Amino acid sequence: MAQEFRNVPVYRGGVKACVFDWAGTVCDAGVFAPVLTFQKLFEEEGVPITSAEVRAPMGVHKRLHIQRICQLPMVKKRWTDKKGSAPTNEDAERIYSKSLTATLDLLPANSKMIKGVPETMNKLRKDLGIKIGSSTGYTSEIMAKLKPLAAAEGYVPDSYVTSDEVQSGRPGPAMIYLNMVRLDVYPAQAVVKVDDTTSGITAGLNAGCWTVGIAKTGNYVGMTEADMDKADKKELAAKVDNAKEILYQAGAHFVIETTRDLPPIVEEINKRMSLGLRP
């Protein structure tokens, strides 16, 4: 007689790797390098855009990011009023072709490590045996400049993956999978995706990973650490709560204020997986 149930292997080990986004998650609190870059490029076109308009599609590949900005109703209207016709994919591609130089110009002033990130990475490695991966909407040329700036402040991931190395970036899972290959880590539930954008959280879910949203230093609060220190506490708390809700609504398993808060979350995930629970 055939058995009514079959045995299925269940992973009960711990977290083996965390894959971190860059801007807003480990560096550039408030995510200003992309915002200032795109504002500069659209200003040169004679069509100024707001910070909120830049932030709306944040997290996707920069080419797609520019295309989505061009399709925002108010941007499309201002573009049409200025140029006589709506923006095309060719216009977006022209802007994208200038984005590398513009980003490289702005990067040194907007790449400072978020407080406590290097120390947190050391704790994850030494106390929890975790490998550190990274993924980003930046291209490999931008990462070549960002990597030494981060290393000078003590942040050196074990793996670097940029959006131009895969067929499609976030919200697809390809950059996470390439990190897993380079780190020699599996299964997917042994990986935690840490990101401050909804597209990054979705990428983690699509990969089958645990996901942790970063609220306070990320895109949806949009403030430097210095500005947050000076901000009205109630207003800042409201912004952080809004960012948390956005990330939870995107499906994040956990949402924390900064990457510094991650180690206890990893310990909680380890407890859950020891019971046979999956993301």
Side-chain angles (χ1 to χ4, degrees), residues 39 120 190 221:
Q39 285 185 308
T120 300
V221 171

Side-chain angles (χ1 to χ4, degrees), residues 11-15 128 210 254 263-278:
Y11 179 72
R12 302 181 80 167
V15 173
L128 296 166
W210 296 91
F254 303 89
I265 300 300
V266 172
E267 292 173 353
E268 173 62 25
I269 292 172
N270 284 341
K271 289 178 184 177
R272 295 188 186 191
M273 288 198 291
S274 72
L275 299 173
L277 300 178
R278 296 187 174 204

Side-chain angles (χ1 to χ4, degrees), residues 214-217 220-221 223 228 233-247 255-258:
I214 302 297
K216 189 174 183 179
T217 60
Y220 305 118
V221 171
M223 297 173 69
M228 286 189 278
K233 290 184 179 180
K234 287 186 178 180
E235 290 181 5
L236 177 59
K239 289 184 177 182
V240 174
D241 286 345
N242 179 62
K244 288 179 178 179
E245 182 63 19
I246 291 170
L247 293 163
V255 178
I256 55 181
E257 292 197 351
T258 79

Side-chain angles (χ1 to χ4, degrees), residues 7-104:
N7 294 324
V8 178
V10 175
Y11 179 72
R12 302 181 80 167
V15 173
K16 296 179 180 179
C18 294
V19 177
F20 294 89
D21 178 40
W22 281 80
T25 300
V26 298
C27 67
D28 188 16
V31 196
F32 283 93
V35 172
L36 296 174
T37 296
F38 291 151
Q39 285 185 308
K40 176 183 177 183
L41 292 171
F42 276 82
E43 181 73 33
E44 290 174 354
E45 293 286 333
V47 184
I49 56 176
T50 66
S51 172
E53 288 167 338
V54 180
R55 293 183 185 280
M58 191 71 76
V60 299
H61 186 284
K62 299 311 177 197
R63 176 183 277 111
L64 181 57
H65 193 157
I66 292 169
Q67 290 174 356
R68 289 186 178 177
I69 291 172
C70 287
Q71 294 309 309
L72 292 171
M74 292 307 298
V75 175
K76 183 184 287 188
K77 181 180 185 304
R78 291 197 297 273
W79 184 287
T80 303
D81 290 345
K82 175 68 176 179
K83 298 178 179 283
S85 59
T88 64
N89 284 340
E90 288 73 22
D91 292 321
E93 188 64 26
R94 183 182 68 257
I95 296 171
Y96 175 72
S97 69
K98 302 175 184 177
S99 65
L100 174 59
T101 300
T103 302
L104 292 175

Side-chain angles (χ1 to χ4, degrees), residues 107 158 224 230 234:
L107 196 63
D158 302 305
T224 66
K230 296 180 290 186
K234 287 186 178 180

